[in-house]
Amino acid sequence: MNTVIVAAAILIEDGRVLLTQRKAGGHLAGAWEFPGGKVELGEDPKEALARELHEEVGIFVRVGEIVDVTFHRYDDANKAVLLLFYEVERTAPSPAPQAIDVAALKWGDEGDLDPAQFPPADVAILSKVRRRLGAK
Ligand code: C5P
């Protein structure tokens, strides 16, 4: 079984966190997640995250501190995922996010952080995000 390294963003603005919905047809189709994606071989995870956020939602970001690292084995997809969650912020000239390579996006509040809507690998971080929403 391979382990895929994935970088994902916790982007909070005005007390809401950016969430994207996975496209139909792929792994975990329809799930809401913290946007991000696979770190390519030899790629710096922070650069991978900035690249993915530009490709998927068209924004420019500064990648900040690591918030959490989680590991999850998807036996159904015969892969394991090491997920690196970073705090990110949009840089000044960045446009607002648009759903370019995702099914949909939203600025979520506490009520949107329902574990049933997220990939299993993302569930462990939900309580941390909830605390951050309260703090910002
Ligand atoms: O987004 P992408 O398909 O490149 O991510 C690779 C894999 O990482 C997904 O198939 C999924 O298993 C996992 N993933 C996840 N949570 C995320 C992003 C990706 O579990 N926030």
Side-chain angles (χ1 to χ4, degrees), residues 6 8 22 27-28 33-34 36-38 74 79 81 83 119 121-122:
V6 174
R22 295 184 66 85
H27 186 221
L28 303 166
E33 68 183 10
F34 300 100
K38 220 156 80 178
Y74 288 105
K79 71 176 165 194
V81 175
L83 254 169
D122 292 52

Side-chain angles (χ1 to χ4, degrees), residues 9-28:
I10 307 301
L11 171 53
I12 296 175
E13 293 186 15
D14 302 323
R16 289 174 179 249
V17 64
L18 184 65
L19 301 175
T20 53
Q21 189 174 32
R22 295 184 66 85
K23 293 193 288 188
H27 186 221
L28 303 166

Side-chain angles (χ1 to χ4, degrees), residues 34 68-71 85 115 118-129:
F34 300 100
D68 210 351
V69 178
T70 66
F71 178 80
F85 291 96
F118 284 79
D122 292 52
V123 168
I125 191 141
L126 292 176
S127 58
K128 279 195 178 179
V129 176

